[in-house]
Amino acid sequence: MAAALSDSIPSVNKAWVYSEYGQSADVLKFDPNVAVPEIKEDQVLIKVVAASLNPIDFKRMLGYFKEIDSPPPTVPGYDVAGVVVKVGSQVTKFKVGDEVYGDLNENALVNPKKFGSLAEYTASEERVLALKPQNLSFVEAASLPLALETAYEGLERTEFSAGKSILVLGGAGGVGTHVIQLAKHVFGASKVAATASTKKLDLLRSLGADLAIDYTKDNFEDLPEKFDVVYDAVGQSDRAVKAVKENGKVVTIFGSVTPPALTFVLTSTGTILEKLKPYLESGKVKPVLDPTSPYPFSKTIEAFAYLETSRATGKVVVHPIP
């Protein structure tokens, strides 16, 4: 038996759906009559309050990894923040009424969910969710999971630790803004350098960067200083490997991988969000929202169009839903 606010849960809901691969402007359609997903024993049903968009959403929509994707029709959206309205019989962490957030797809690339967060309701395994920090709005919480978890896992994979130096490529993006904060305020970096365009350098400094590098004027690989770790959040591992110390580590999350750089596919888990909750509650790690956010549900295509320019600062979030 599943506990639920069953009286208030409709059988259909509004959602954005694509039925074929292609550009978001061409294939993403609003559908007011999509069936509300049934939950499995280890899942909860969430009334979605906010959802954030990630580059993987439009890359998936373009069919970049269709060989391992779950086939369309697809409701996109990895990141969610909302309220639990129904729980499966094996769920132990959450109850109806809990405010939760998370990245819905445990494996980002292999058979991700056909029903994501760009809908009024979505289903999620409890293990990828965490309770929303009370000091964060739903919009702020929705901006975090995939980017924050990617930032954290990348630092873990480079064995980053207190006293080490790091260079972050793409410091003003969704992942980069969190790498800076985590490296400085959670891992205890001795020095954090990061790249961005001219107008975003003050943001880097405000997040904890000791050295803000204007990539429109300076080549980071020409710096006399080398770093223990380079976190490449833009897809420039061929240049990143020139900025790392001998025996240092380079991690990249986009594009081709130039040895000795390493890459990874995020495993989404609520455990990371729980681990970082004290830092979120204290304000040491802050959500970073693009100034254009949030986009209303009706403007989801415009939100994708903006994200696809690669000019977003921090995260693009859709709210309210619907």
Side-chain angles (χ1 to χ4, degrees):
M1 289 291 290
L5 296 168
S6 54
D7 294 346
S8 59
I9 300 171
S11 58
V12 296
N13 70 158
K14 303 178 182 74
W16 287 92
V17 185
Y18 59 92
S19 297
E20 59 184 329
Y21 292 117
Q23 295 280 349
S24 59
D26 299 327
V27 301
L28 192 59
K29 308 295 181 188
F30 177 75
D31 188 338
N33 291 300
V34 177
V36 172
E38 295 290 328
I39 60 168
K40 298 173 184 172
E41 292 179 337
D42 64 342
Q43 291 182 325
V44 301
L45 187 68
I46 300 168
K47 175 68 180 77
V48 181
V49 179
S52 77
L53 308 185
N54 293 282
I56 197 168
D57 286 304
F58 67 76
K59 291 176 181 178
R60 180 186 180 191
M61 205 181 312
L62 285 165
Y64 279 14
F65 51 99
K66 59 186 174 186
E67 293 81 8
I68 51 175
D69 192 10
S70 47
T74 300
V75 174
Y78 282 58
D79 285 332
V80 67
V83 180
V84 174
V85 293
K86 188 176 183 179
V87 297
S89 59
Q90 293 179 4
V91 170
T92 58
K93 279 169 50 178
F94 305 110
K95 63 184 183 302
V96 170
D98 281 347
E99 298 179 350
V100 296
Y101 73 128
D103 168 3
L104 296 171
N105 290 302
E106 192 163 19
N107 185 299
L109 294 179
V110 180
N111 290 319
K113 285 183 169 29
K114 291 167 68 72
F115 207 106
S117 57
L118 286 170
E120 291 180 86
Y121 294 87
T122 195
S124 174
E125 287 74 23
E126 70 169 339
R127 62 183 173 271
V128 302
L129 300 173
L131 290 171
K132 179 179 75 65
Q134 291 189 337
N135 61 312
L136 299 185
S137 68
F138 283 104
V139 169
E140 290 171 322
S143 77
L144 292 171
L146 188 148
L148 184 61
E149 292 176 42
T150 299
Y152 186 88
E153 186 171 334
L155 288 167
E156 289 267 279
R157 284 173 180 260
T158 64
E159 301 175 331
F160 196 72
S161 58
K164 290 185 177 180
S165 62
I166 187 170
L167 170 63
V168 184
L169 307 185
V175 173
T177 51
H178 291 305
V179 177
I180 293 170
Q181 295 183 82
L182 292 175
K184 190 72 172 184
H185 305 305
V186 177
F187 286 81
S190 60
K191 183 170 186 176
V192 177
T195 65
S197 58
T198 313
K199 292 179 181 178
K200 300 178 181 180
L201 299 180
D202 284 341
L203 170 66
L204 303 189
R205 297 184 187 103
S206 74
L207 296 173
D210 303 292
L211 175 63
I213 302 165
D214 186 341
Y215 71 73
T216 69
K217 297 176 181 174
D218 298 305
N219 291 323
F220 62 83
E221 65 265 47
D222 295 337
L223 289 171
E225 182 179 5
K226 302 303 176 188
F227 299 87
D228 294 307
V229 168
V230 180
Y231 196 121
D232 169 27
V234 291
Q236 296 179 337
S237 68
D238 56 329
R239 296 174 61 196
V241 296
K242 299 174 184 174
V244 72
K245 289 179 182 177
E246 190 173 354
N247 299 320
K249 299 282 184 71
V250 178
V251 62
T252 185
I253 58 170
F254 288 122
S256 58
V257 181
T258 302
L262 61 95
T263 191
F264 67 96
V265 176
L266 174 67
T267 300
S268 168
T269 170
T271 306
I272 294 175
L273 299 178
E274 290 163 359
K275 191 181 294 185
L276 295 175
K277 188 175 183 181
Y279 299 95
L280 294 165
E281 289 181 331
S282 68
K284 286 185 176 178
V285 176
K286 299 180 177 71
V288 181
L289 300 172
D290 187 89
T292 63
S293 288
Y295 287 76
F297 196 58
S298 61
K299 300 287 186 185
T300 296
I301 288 177
E302 287 85 345
F304 268 110
Y306 178 66
L307 182 67
E308 289 162 13
T309 66
S310 298
R311 295 199 178 118
T313 301
K315 292 302 299 293
V316 174
V317 180
V318 176
H319 167 83
I321 296 177

